[in-house]
Amino acid sequence: MREQLTSIKNQHVKDWKKLATKRGREKFNAYLLDGWHLVEEALKSGVTLTALIGTADELAAHEDIVARFDRVYEVTPAILKHVLDTVTPQGIAAVAQLPNHRFQPGVDLKGAWLLLDRVQDPGNVGTMIRTADAAGFAGVVASAQTADLFSPKVVRSMQGSQFHLQLFTGDLRKWIADFKAAEKPVYGTQLNPAAQSFRQVYPGPDFALIMGNEGHGMASDLLAATTTNLYIPMKGAAESLNVAVSAGILMFELNRAALTD
């Protein structure tokens, strides 16, 4: 089915616009992908895409991909700009189904996992998820106070890594307890030389790493519950590192055994 839409007052357009909000995403169990790269990554990963939305020029230029969709909506550039949270939309978008398992407990805790404690900036969250993907992590768990994993800014920053990792939202205290019950180490992060240097830690293949809030770090109760808290020694005069930069250093270092296989 292919349909032309020319008004932002159309009900489909109104519904797509709601996907920019967490409430809208939960209501429709869906989120938006902006651009051909994310659409193609989703198709490769077998993600359920319920609609393709694009300008006439973009749809005509990618007929092979368009043919894979049951529902295609040809819209004006003004409609796409209205719907998407971007200054210059790429002319194509798709409606993707949210992962059904994202709140479910009882996950196989094999591999390396990144836990995010109240990380607020969507760019930081998306960058850390993308880096976790590159570093060979199995999954990412965000606390309820962390930026929503499927908000437009996080999705753009992840660049398709949500299709390669398991993503969950949950109570980090419960996740920490599950890791420890399975005798898998949980590493916290603390800007404190009293913590242990990450260079002195040699984890096995299964562990969790927690990154905390940009301004306040990890919650004190989580720091008290970890196996070991780590810090990154710094030779220069900088007071601290961006949380995403710190996470990148730690993820590649802690998971180095898997990266050399």
Side-chain angles (χ1 to χ4, degrees):
M1 183 199 80
R2 184 159 175 164
E3 185 176 347
Q4 284 186 324
L5 305 179
T6 58
S7 172
I8 62 172
K9 295 181 180 180
N10 179 277
Q11 189 59 50
H12 290 303
V13 177
K14 291 180 179 179
D15 290 344
W16 298 331
K17 180 67 174 177
K18 292 175 183 176
L19 298 181
T21 68
K22 185 174 182 179
R23 179 177 292 181
R25 291 189 292 275
E26 295 296 339
K27 176 181 178 180
F28 294 104
N29 194 39
Y31 70 106
L32 284 174
L33 302 175
D34 179 7
W36 284 114
H37 169 69
L38 292 184
V39 172
E40 291 181 276
E41 283 292 307
L43 289 171
K44 288 177 189 175
S45 303
V47 173
T48 299
L49 301 179
T50 58
L52 184 68
I53 310 159
T55 61
D57 289 345
E58 287 297 323
L59 294 175
H62 297 82
E63 291 182 354
D64 56 329
I65 300 176
V66 173
R68 299 176 65 178
F69 286 82
D70 294 328
R71 292 181 177 273
V72 178
Y73 296 91
E74 181 183 315
V75 300
T76 64
I79 286 177
L80 266 184
K81 189 169 184 178
H82 173 73
V83 167
L84 298 172
D85 185 27
T86 50
V87 177
T88 54
Q90 298 179 41
I92 204 73
V95 179
Q97 187 178 78
L98 286 171
N100 292 327
H101 65 269
R102 66 193 189 283
F103 297 114
Q104 293 179 5
V107 179
D108 187 344
L109 299 179
K110 288 185 179 178
W113 287 75
L114 176 66
L115 278 55
L116 302 179
D117 173 29
R118 301 167 299 140
V119 181
Q120 299 293 301
D121 184 83
N124 283 336
V125 172
T127 296
M128 285 191 280
I129 292 172
R130 189 176 177 185
T131 306
D133 179 14
F137 272 50
V140 178
V141 184
S143 69
Q145 296 78 29
T146 290
D148 186 80
L149 300 184
F150 295 94
S151 70
K153 290 180 180 178
V154 173
V155 170
R156 282 200 302 274
S157 187
M158 287 191 291
Q159 283 293 301
S161 285
Q162 71 267 36
F163 307 130
H164 312 149
L165 295 163
Q166 300 180 72
L167 299 184
F168 294 90
T169 298
D171 184 346
L172 298 192
R173 287 177 285 275
K174 175 67 167 63
W175 281 80
I176 291 171
D178 287 349
F179 272 98
K180 293 175 76 173
E183 299 184 342
K184 302 178 190 296
V186 179
Y187 299 107
T189 48
Q190 191 173 23
L191 190 63
N192 184 348
Q196 188 170 351
S197 168
F198 75 95
R199 295 193 180 100
Q200 299 172 344
V201 175
Y202 299 91
D206 306 329
F207 66 90
L209 169 68
I210 310 175
M211 301 304 300
N213 175 268
E214 292 89 343
H216 304 288
M218 283 178 55
S220 58
D221 62 327
L222 297 184
L223 284 168
T226 60
T227 307
T228 307
N229 293 319
L230 308 178
Y231 80 101
I232 300 173
M234 294 185 289
K235 193 172 184 68
E239 182 178 321
S240 63
L241 293 172
N242 170 273
V243 66
V245 172
S246 298
I249 293 169
L250 294 171
M251 283 191 281
F252 273 91
E253 179 66 16
L254 295 177
N255 207 33
R256 59 189 178 276
L259 291 165
T260 56
D261 286 346

